[in-house]
Amino acid sequence: MESEPIRVVVTGAAGQIAYSLLYMIAKGDVFGSEQPLILHLLDIPPMMGVLEGVVMELSDCALPLLRSVVPTDDPVVAFKDVAAAFLVGAMPRKQGMERKDLLSANVKIFKVQGEALDKHAKKDVKVLVVGNPANTNALICSRYAPSIPKENFTAMTRLDQNRAQAQIAAKVNVPVASVSNVIIWGNHSSTQFPDASHGTVHMAGKDIPARDAVGDDVWLRTAFVETVQKRGAAVINARKMSSAMSAAKAAGDHMRDWFNGTPPGKFVSMGVISDGSYGAPKDVVFSFPVSIKNGKWEIVQGLVTDDFAKELLDVTGKELLEERAEAIAVIEA
Ligand code: NAI
């Protein structure tokens, strides 16, 4: 018997990440090749004309799993009965804008969307925030959706993880799928800590520590970290637009693993509500290594962090505390 369609919302649906992401979702890459879908597409009123074009193209893709498409500028319609939410739309940073101004614009957007999720979405909806500042936007969204568990709000650091994995694979000269368990700690910003010290590389029939495979600790602590931290800026410099294809792929990876789980012994990085593990501040959305089973993530425990790691974890944790304080100041103003 065929499964019932599930409703999935993508916000910022007329934007560039959504343009790749919608196709991936609608053809079954995220929820599986047997799962029919109803896609809800949210954007702002001035973008409704562009969105109409996206709807036409989705129809012209003639995708068997896509049962219907609901384009809208109304969060109430967009979040009605959704089982999964990709919150991609956000206020972009404009020239001369301070971080405070950016946070202030986004707090307003994620407050409205949190309230709409709270009232209209399924109570077990899985929410992935992609729009920046992703970690703090996820925190705010969750705050305004008290009837949905905090664990259901996550922020995307999977693109950073994929970038880190690709850097290691290129350095060791193995296919990217041979690299596992590389971690992104902290904020999806330039303070993030890409950490390969618990990673493995599959070579000659067995998993060996990534540190041994790379054989260059100085590179792992300098060029590797900086390349991953600054990769977004490098793509903008080259493309004159921000990462979109790779961001869409990462959003799909994040949600697919959240629904389907991680294999034994493997973990992925996700921005999740912090319980203070590894000395991270509590109650910020912090990227940790997580393993996933039955749709629930758990922070991987017991990894040993050295002084270098502790220092970088501290820096990114402090940035998240500052962002939270600034966001709360906007809410309470
Ligand atoms: P884009 O500017 O092409 O599209 C954003 C879309 O969001 C626009 O169509 C805009 O009208 C819409 N939007 C704005 N406010 C909205 C609201 N209140 N409700 C619904 N839609 C709204 O931007 P792009 O390239 O698709 O990026 C989207 C976001 O993702 C940006 O904030 C970007 O910084 C972030 N990003 C995050 C990454 C991550 O790793 N977490 C990686 C790459 C981008």
Side-chain angles (χ1 to χ4, degrees), residues 76-159:
V76 173
V77 175
F79 292 110
K80 182 83 186 142
D81 295 333
V82 292
F86 293 85
L87 305 188
V88 180
M91 176 67 79
R93 189 189 285 260
K94 297 190 185 122
Q95 225 171 6
M97 215 178 189
E98 305 259 334
R99 189 175 73 182
K100 232 180 2 211
D101 305 326
L102 184 74
L103 269 165
S104 155
N106 279 295
V107 162
K108 290 177 194 129
I109 293 174
F110 285 85
K111 173 176 186 240
V112 169
Q113 297 190 354
E115 286 168 346
L117 279 159
D118 195 51
K119 287 205 193 85
H120 305 290
K122 286 168 67 107
K123 292 299 168 205
D124 61 354
V125 60
K126 288 180 165 52
V127 182
L128 164 59
V129 178
V130 175
N132 281 319
N135 299 53
T136 301
N137 288 342
L139 184 73
I140 298 303
C141 196
S142 159
R143 194 176 259 253
Y144 285 98
S147 68
I148 298 169
K150 284 189 170 16
E151 291 72 26
N152 293 30
F153 291 83
T154 61
M156 186 165 96
T157 51
R158 184 58 171 265
L159 175 54

Side-chain angles (χ1 to χ4, degrees), residues 11-12 14-18 42-44 47 88-90 109 113 130-132 134 156 159 188 242-243 247:
T11 75
Q16 47 150 7
I17 293 177
L42 179 70
D43 213 295
I44 53 177
M47 297 305 285
V88 180
I109 293 174
Q113 297 190 354
V130 175
N132 281 319
M156 186 165 96
L159 175 54
H188 169 70
S242 61
S243 316

Side-chain angles (χ1 to χ4, degrees), residues 22 37 42 48 87 108 117 154 157 167 288 291 321:
L22 289 168
L37 300 160
L42 179 70
M48 286 303 107
L87 305 188
K108 290 177 194 129
L117 279 159
T154 61
T157 51
Q167 291 298 317
F288 286 106
S291 57
L321 285 175

